[in-house]
Amino acid sequence: MPIADLPKQYDPREAQDRWYRLWVDKGYFHADPASDKPAYTIVIPPPNVTGALHLGHALNNTIQDILIRWKRMQGFDVLWMPGTDHAGIATQAVVERRIHEVEKKTRHDLGRDALVERIWEWKDEYEKRILSQLRMMGCSCDWDRTRFTLDEGCSLAVRLTFFKLFQADQIYRGKRLVNWDAHLRTAVADDEIYYEDVQGQLWTIRYPSADDPEKGLLVATTRPETMLGDTAVAVHPDDERWNSLIGREVVLPLTGRKIPVIADPILVDPAFGTGCVKVTPAHDPNDYQTGLRHRLPMINLLNPDGTFNENAGKYAGLDRKVVRKQVVADLEAAGLLVKTEAYNTRVNYSDRSKTPIEPYLSDQWFVRMDSLAQQAIDAVADGRVRIHPDRYAKSYLDWLGEKRDWCISRQLWWGHRIPIWTCDTCTEADLARVFAGRDDVVWRAGEMGGMLICSTVDLAEDALGPEHRLVRDPDVLDTWFSSALWPHSTLGWPERTPELAKYYPTSVLSTARDIITLWVARMVMFGTFNMNDVPFRDVFIHPVIQDGQGRRMSKSLGNGIDPVDIIELHGADTLRFALAAAATETQDLRMPVESQKLPDGRVVNTSEKFEQGRTFPNKLWNAARFALMNLEGFEPTTVDVSTLPVEDRWILSLLASTAAETTRELEAFQFAEAAKRLRDFTWNDFCDWYVEFIKTRLRDPATKPTAQAVLAAVLDGICRLLHPIIPFVTESIWQALGEVAPRRGLVSIEPAAESVCVAPWPIYPGAWSSADSERIVGQWQEKVAAIRNLRAERQLPNHAKIAPILVAEGEVAEMLELGNAFIRSLTGASSLQIGPLDVRPSEAAVTVLADCEVIVPLEGLVDKEAEIARRRKSLADVEKQLAAVESKLANPSFTERAPAELVDQQRSKRDELLHQRESLRQLLGEA
RNA sequence: GGGCGAUUAGCUCAGUUGGCUAGAGCACCAGCUCGACACGCUGGGGGUCAAAGGUUCAAGUCCUUUAUCGCCCACCA
């Protein structure tokens, strides 16, 4: 396209389609295990297939793509492994809810296979959508390797891991209290529960002593019906009212069972209620823990549907609500109900059925955490895995330190089925007869009789013959079990693939802090267990995005921002830049939400936070347009940097330090700093100053070629440095630049590349660094600003030509003289005098700087009173500063204890201020 | 209850091992169609750095306490 036809406004849409296709077609995103380049690997935190991506995903994937693109440019063999997560509970719940809404059917109506099939359909739809969203954002994943946590490879990895753990006796079956939804007849996760404060009652019941029916204990409870399952009464060991009874027994009313009185300082708060607590291990989480501590029997009273079972004696078969009434009535009749009072209590409800949750004792599978957790602790403690920011290492270590066994079974249908078969009738010998010699089947006796058989392959129901039926465990594994294998299962484990050899351990994991324990810790455990090495070297924890009030973004609050909307409104670069610029080390990232109407009439949420990212790509685009217009007909020549004019050496010096600092910041995961630095360099140094400096040079054929060479080199550098953050606009510019300025003989260290996506990351020669030119240009800038300020403050007409005088001597005068033409053109001056002052103009606007007096003669335009007032104000200001500096220098402890450098600095500052004061006094004296 | 974090300009945030008159973007005010860009240019106003103590020659930065807010974990018989 001819340069002159390049649009004034950058069109992100066209660039996005075009360049993304180019990158994919050229195969830039492919990792190549056979290449001899060093590996750099990130496995994507697989998004849940429950729904579309939200802004948090956009942030995380922007971060990952920045790292990936940066490392690709640095010459690494880069692999970004994409994929999605089956997200067991969440996905099944979403699909079940949908089916219920539309077809009024429950999962029991459909049956296991049909439901699972329906969830697969859902998965296909959302996976497609999620992956296309990632592409829209510009993510450079190796798409041919896309994986899913429930695919064949992951299934194999899951089974083998379970098998190995079972074999190593790291997996066991045990009892656990789960949140039971009696209406849906399923266990629900902690995060699917909500609390409600309910007006209830507190009943006080008398438990007679076994020795002496006249004596006894008083217990208070909000759930009297559970007393049928009590197996102890607990008191505080220091409570003198009751502690004489510790070790004795009481008679459990209505049942006649004798239960012990135990001492438990954890469960019992002597100040609450009666100071005695009934202990029902099977139906209350605290009591359960108490039961474990005291090895109490656990009596399960409930059937799965919420009715009481045979353990409840005469109450068997009745619903829990009915039982409560009956128990209270019976206690009252027996004269054991001491008191009934109103009491507010918190009741747990299932989010899905809106019915009360029952703590319910059931068989579950566990992974032992002792040695696994220890290995994961060690990995972080000894630095094999580094967590950034490092404060998050604490929550990781604290959580693992508890070493609470991990309950891995879920009463769901969507997920990896537990590879366990049970057989109640067979013996060790029966199993040995059939399975002996097989390395894919192991077994052991269950705790309650029967055999537990674990196998990596499916076992037939009649594998042991018709007389011994094998029954497969109906449960599936916790989603995090397969997620924990993600870094190695996606690389081919358990096969010893070239990928596994080259890309494991991966380089960086980027994720949110809420899954440090759920996911990160477990990946370290399983990675270490299966691979004998950590899964990644660095973990970057990014902030959580909130709305302007500090609330999480959510569908129900309607405060969510859809990344796709931002892309539609402003383009993917804007989304990426804004997110990168916001990704500091903070833990929460607030984005004030406002709504905006789209051209198609749709109203969407957006945020002012995208403002910066919105204008920046356009600014860059226009700077590039300027450059491209001026590069037409450019004949590349080799340029010796040391011979270039000051302004060229200045911008190259800044480019070099910007590149070095940006590299350092990316290495330290300081994305916001890198984004801001690059923006500042591009906008302030390059656009505001350098481009202005060279405008005249570009009009003179004699000075044009070097200016062109430097202009092209800087634009080239800017494209490379910004490409990881804003890939599309930089590619647009790169391609256009390649047409007018083939990269040969430029002031550039890098060879050509057909796309900035694979252009080498810049490292500039140390010789480009030029403190001198930075000082000189700094001088110019300061004086330009002073003159502009004088113009603006006096509200001089725009076309008024001025002839400023810079009163300076020696080195300062020399430096300014070098920039005479620039200062003139940037201030709209017709002439500029630099040097000692011959005759002070009678009417002038004046600013006194430390090393220079800036005078703008304004014959007939000066408001003398205002001028004097300004000078007085400056004088007062200088005197205030001087007083501060002098008091510092007058303080002996300062001059003695502060570093000499700092003291010298203050001294020279004092000298400057004294000089300024003197000049101002003279000025005021003359006026 | 335990842990982590935040509190700096109207808003969103920087401020690295203590050391210039505390910075940026947005918003605000004034002026600009000057040959890349009005998604722009130039200039400007605006802050007792949550509060109170302390350490230090020097505190936005370190320590203690308090207040408010957020997140995570545990929990209210």
Side-chain angles (χ1 to χ4, degrees), chain A residues 8 323 335 370 431 536 563 598 652 657 740 809 818 824 841 843 876 889 914:
Chain A
K8 280 189 177 185
V323 175
D370 39 16
L431 291 164
F536 29 70
L598 256 46
L652 293 175
S657 61
V740 294
E809 309 180 329
L818 277 173
R824 257 185 293 139
E843 295 187 342
L889 288 168
L914 281 170

Side-chain angles (χ1 to χ4, degrees), chain A residues 574-825:
Chain A
T574 291
L575 174 74
R576 295 171 61 115
F577 187 85
L579 291 173
T584 61
E585 287 199 353
T586 177
Q587 67 175 15
D588 305 317
L589 197 175
R590 287 193 184 189
M591 292 210 156
V593 178
E594 65 216 14
S595 51
Q596 184 173 340
K597 200 167 182 178
L598 256 46
D600 65 10
R602 215 156 48 89
V603 175
V604 300
N605 282 342
T606 177
S607 173
E608 62 177 38
K609 277 261 177 180
F610 293 106
E611 222 25 56
Q612 228 190 113
R614 185 174 73 90
T615 52
F616 182 49
N618 195 60
K619 179 73 179 178
L620 176 57
W621 172 248
N622 277 291
R625 276 180 66 226
F626 169 83
L628 294 167
M629 286 174 194
N630 284 286
L631 284 169
E632 273 178 305
F634 171 49
E635 292 289 331
T637 50
T638 306
V639 178
D640 176 1
V641 171
S642 65
T643 64
L644 289 170
V646 176
E647 67 275 15
D648 289 347
R649 283 186 285 126
W650 168 76
I651 196 71
L652 293 175
S653 180
L654 291 187
L655 175 62
S657 61
T658 300
E661 290 294 297
T662 302
T663 307
R664 191 182 55 74
E665 281 156 351
L666 290 178
E667 275 161 4
F669 303 105
Q670 295 175 335
F671 303 100
E673 290 78 358
K676 281 173 188 153
R677 175 182 304 282
L678 291 170
R679 181 198 176 277
D680 287 349
F681 173 72
T682 304
W683 202 310
N684 303 339
D685 299 321
F686 180 63
C687 293
D688 289 352
W689 292 99
Y690 185 71
V691 164
E692 296 304 325
F693 284 153
I694 61 167
K695 274 181 179 168
T696 23
R697 264 173 74 200
L698 288 168
R699 285 186 213 114
D700 181 349
T703 50
K704 191 173 180 180
T706 52
Q708 284 179 316
V710 175
L711 180 62
V714 176
L715 192 60
D716 168 289
I718 287 174
C719 282
R720 293 175 200 249
L721 292 167
L722 275 166
H723 181 259
I725 303 176
I726 44 176
F728 295 108
V729 67
T730 49
E731 184 72 277
S732 293
I733 295 169
W734 181 270
Q735 295 293 337
L737 188 61
E739 282 176 32
V740 294
R743 286 172 193 76
R744 263 179 298 109
L746 285 183
V747 189
S748 166
I749 48 154
E750 308 295 357
E754 57 183 356
S755 160
V756 65
C757 182
V758 287
W761 182 254
I763 304 170
Y764 295 107
W768 282 25
S769 175
S770 165
D772 267 3
S773 63
E774 289 188 29
R775 259 181 72 225
I776 295 168
V777 173
Q779 278 286 346
W780 304 349
Q781 291 174 322
E782 187 191 28
K783 275 65 190 179
V784 166
I787 297 169
R788 280 173 172 172
N789 175 278
L790 288 178
R791 276 195 91 117
E793 285 225 314
R794 275 68 174 183
Q795 302 205 318
L796 295 190
N798 200 33
H799 296 298
K801 281 292 177 188
I802 53 171
I805 305 165
L806 299 177
V807 185
E809 309 180 329
E811 196 200 6
V812 174
E814 280 169 33
M815 291 194 283
L816 292 176
E817 197 53 64
L818 277 173
N820 194 312
F822 296 133
I823 300 173
R824 257 185 293 139
S825 76

Side-chain angles (χ1 to χ4, degrees), chain A residues 325-339:
Chain A
K325 281 184 193 148
Q326 291 255 343
V327 164
V328 170
D330 292 348
L331 284 169
E332 196 158 17
L336 294 170
L337 189 64
V338 178
K339 192 162 58 169

Side-chain angles (χ1 to χ4, degrees), chain A residues 318-374:
Chain A
L318 300 175
D319 187 79
R320 44 199 164 144
K321 288 180 203 151
V322 181
V323 175
R324 173 174 299 185
K325 281 184 193 148
Q326 291 255 343
V327 164
V328 170
D330 292 348
L331 284 169
E332 196 158 17
L336 294 170
L337 189 64
V338 178
K339 192 162 58 169
T340 305
E341 53 200 312
Y343 186 74
N344 283 333
T345 181
R346 212 150 82 172
V347 177
N348 295 344
Y349 290 89
S350 163
D351 196 33
R352 290 162 62 188
S353 68
K354 315 294 177 197
T355 57
I357 286 291
E358 286 300 331
Y360 183 65
L361 199 60
S362 63
D363 286 326
Q364 303 290 337
W365 290 94
F366 293 86
V367 177
R368 286 188 214 286
M369 278 299 106
D370 39 16
S371 74
L372 283 169
Q374 191 55 50

